Amino acid sequence: MQAVAKNQGAFWKHALLVVALFGAALLVRLYRLEAQSLWLDEGSSWELSRQAWSVLLADLLRPNAAYPLYHVLLKGWMGFAGESEAALRMPSVLAGALAVPLVYLMSLEVARLGLEESRPRAPGICWAGFAAALILLASPFAIWYSQEAKVYSLLLFNATLVLWALARVLRTGALRDWALLLVVGVVALFVHRLSILLVAAGAWLMALQVVGHRPRSWLNLLAPALAGLFSGLLVIAMISGLGGEQAAGRSAAGAAIPADPWLALELTVVRFSLDRWPGDSPSWWLLPWLLLAGLGLVAALVDLRRSATRLRAAFVLVMLFVPLGLFLLQLVVTRLYEARYLMMIYPAWLLLLTYPLLKPGAAQVSGQRTRIVRKSLTYGLVSAYALLLAGALFTGGRALVQPVFGLFSGDPVKEQYREAFAELATRVHPDDAIVLHPNYLRPLYDYYMARFSRDPALQPLTFANFWQGETSFGQREWDLERRAGLAGFTRSFLVIAPEHARTVDPPLPGDEYGLVGNYWRFSREQRTWPCGIWRFNGAHLLCQQAPEPYYTGAAAPTPARPVGAIFGDDLIFQGYTLKATMPVGPGVYRAGGNVPLSLFWEVTAPLEADYSLFLHLCQACDQPPAAGEDGPPLEGYLPTSTWLPGKPARDDRTIHLPADLAPGTYTMLLGLYDPNDPTPAGRLRIRGGDTLGDDRLVLGSIEVVANEP
C-alpha cells in the first residue's frame, strides 16, 4: 500500500509539472502572436493548404513533397478556425507548447536508460528534463517557429516524440513500445522528409545496441558501419531528390543560403542558441551556450566508458551527431542550408546541454539520491552548472527582446507585407497596374488584399523571366516585357521585396534595386512622375504615374465631369473622373473599399506655395467628415510650385471607406490649403462651381452600401 501511494504521489507530481510547463509555454507562444506580418513561406503555406483534398492527399505519397502532412492538417484546421493570421499560426503554437512538457518526459526516459532496478520505483523529478524544458520554453529559436505558419514547430514536437518512444523501447523492449515507435517513426517521414535523418540515426543506435549484447567479432562490428553507410547514402540521395523541385524554390525565396559543412555547423550552433546570425548580437551572449554544450559533451564521452551509463550516453551522442553529420555531408551535393532544416535534432541538442544533470536524475530513480549526488558531483560543480544555465536563459531572454532582431522587442523583425499591402489597398484604382517582384509575392497579395479592401483585387503583373533566372534576360528583354505589360496603364504600383528580388534580379554595385526596382525608383529618368515611395521592413511600395501620351501615344484625357472652378487666383480645377469599383457603375461604393477619383488641374501662372488638398465625405457637413483623404498632390513628388502653364497635372486619389461606415448618401467635398496653416483661414478661396461657403467645392454625392462579403 505504501508503494502504491508513493507511485500515485509521483504520478500527480509529474502530471502537475507537465500541465504547468504546457501552460507556461502556451502563454509565451501566444504573446504578440499577430504582431508580425505573415512572410513569404507562411503565404505559401496558406496557398498550398487551400488546394483540393485530393491534391494534398496525393502529395503524401509524392517523394519530392517535403512536408505534405502539415498542409493536410492546416487545411483541416482552417476549415474549423478560419484563415486569420492567428488561426494560421495556431497549429504551430500548440505543437511548440506541447513539445515543452514532452521534452521533460523524454529526458525522464533517457535518464532511466541502462539502470538496473531490482524493484520498480517511482521516479522523482528529473532535473535534466526540467532544465531542458525551461530552455525550450524560452528558446528564441523554438518560439520563432512556434509563431510561424510552417511545419517546423510540428517537426520539433514529432522529433521529440520519436526520441521519447525510442528511449522507451531501449529501456523496456515491450511490444507496445515497439508499435508506438513504428507509428511515430512513419508519421515523422510525412511530417518532413528530412526526418529520415532521425530514422537513420535510430536504426544505427539499435544496431549498436544489438552489437553490444553479442560476442565481439568483425561481423558484428561491421554491421552498424554498413547500416550507417547505407542510411547515409539513402539520405543524400533523398535530399538531392528534394532539391530538384523544392530546393530551387527555397533558394529563390531567400530562405536557404549556400554553405559548406563547417560554416553550416557554426551557424547551427548560433541559431540553436540565440536564433541569430553571427554578428547580430554580442559575442559573449553565446558563451554560456558553448560552455553548456562542452560540459555535456565531456560528460557524455566519460559515460561511454561506464557500462551503467553507456547506453544513455550513446543515445544522446548518436541521435545528435549522426543526423547532423549526414546533413552536413549532403551539403557537398545541395549546398543549401537553413538551421530550421535541422529542427529534428533540436531535442537531442537539449539533451546534450543538460546532460550533466542526468546523473542526479539517475540517483533519484535508483533511490540513492544523496549518496550518488555527493559521489558524482560536488556542490561547486552543481552551482557552476546552475550559473551557466541561468546565463543561457538570460541571454536567450535578451535575444527575444533585443531591438531590431528580437521577436518580442516590438520592432518589425519579419518582412512587413501586411503593412505594404494595407497601404496599397487604400490607394489603388481599378485601372491601375499592380506589379509584384519577385512573382512569388502573389500568395501574400491574394491573402492581404482580400482582407484590407472590399473591392475586387486586381490581377497583378509579374515578370516570370526573372524567376526563371534566364541568363539572356537583360535590359533589352526587360524593356520589351515592361512596355507590353504596362501598355494602356497611366499609373502603376510596384510591391518589391528587395532582399528576395536581388536573388533573381541582382542590382549593380551601389544600387538598391535591380532592373525592376530601379524603373520605379528613378521615375523622373523614365519621363514619368513618382507618386509615392513607402518603405516597410523587407517590403517596399513604389508608385509611378505617366502622362498618357508617353504610354499610349494618345492625347491626354479630359475629366469625365468638367468643373472649371478657380482656387485662389491661378489654380484651375478642370474637373474629375469618378471610377467604378462595383458592377453598378460609378456612384455606388462598398464600406471597406475605396472611392477612386482622378483630379485634373492646370495653372495660369506659376504658384509660389506648395498646397495640399483634402477630400471629405460627409452627411452633416458642418460636422467632422465620416471619411476623407488629405495630402499634397502626387504624394508631394510633384509640388504645386513646380506646375507650369500649358502642362496640366493629373492626380489620382482614393478615399478609403471605413469598414464600419454606415450605409447612406454622402457628399464629396474638395478643398486646397497651405500646409503651414491647416486652419480654415489657410484654405484657398473658390470661384465658380457649387461650393459650401467659399473654401469647399462640392463634387457631388455617392451612395455607400454595407460591408458584406
Side-chain angles (χ1 to χ4, degrees), residues 29 90-100 146 153-157:
R29 282 148 179 78
M90 192 57 66
S92 296
V93 168
L94 294 174
L98 286 170
V100 173
S146 293
S153 188
L154 179 62
L155 177 58
L156 171 64
F157 173 79

Side-chain angles (χ1 to χ4, degrees), residues 239-376:
I239 297 177
S240 299
L242 286 176
E245 176 177 333
Q246 305 250 358
R250 290 194 296 265
S251 178
I257 62 172
D260 58 58
W262 179 253
L263 176 60
L265 180 60
E266 176 190 351
L267 295 176
T268 299
V269 172
V270 179
R271 292 296 301 278
F272 273 18
S273 302
L274 300 169
D275 197 30
R276 292 289 180 272
W277 296 107
D280 286 348
S281 58
S283 57
W284 68 267
W285 285 10
L286 194 60
L287 184 60
W289 298 91
L290 294 177
L291 291 175
L292 284 177
L295 286 176
L297 181 59
V298 170
L301 292 175
V302 170
D303 276 357
L304 277 178
R305 304 177 61 185
R306 300 170 179 169
S307 59
T309 55
R310 182 175 297 134
L311 179 57
R312 186 172 64 193
F315 183 95
V316 174
L317 296 176
V318 169
M319 298 311 294
L320 176 61
F321 290 109
V322 169
L324 176 61
L326 292 175
F327 181 83
L328 296 180
L329 184 61
Q330 64 82 33
L331 285 178
V332 178
V333 179
T334 66
R335 307 292 294 178
L336 293 178
Y337 165 82
E338 178 65 29
R340 60 185 181 175
Y341 303 160
L342 285 165
M343 182 65 83
M344 81 288 300
I345 70 169
Y346 199 76
W349 163 258
L350 294 174
L351 286 174
L352 182 71
L353 294 179
T354 58
Y355 189 86
L357 294 181
L358 285 174
K359 292 185 177 182
Q364 292 175 34
V365 174
S366 65
Q368 305 176 44
R369 176 181 179 184
T370 303
R371 183 173 61 84
I372 299 298
V373 166
R374 289 176 179 174
K375 185 177 179 180
S376 60

Side-chain angles (χ1 to χ4, degrees), residues 14 17 130 231 254 280 333 381 400 413 423 459 510 574 616 702:
H14 286 292
L17 180 59
F130 184 68
S231 61
D280 286 348
V333 179
L381 288 177
L400 280 171
V413 297
E423 189 71 39
Q459 184 72 15
Q574 295 177 322
H616 289 167
I702 63 168

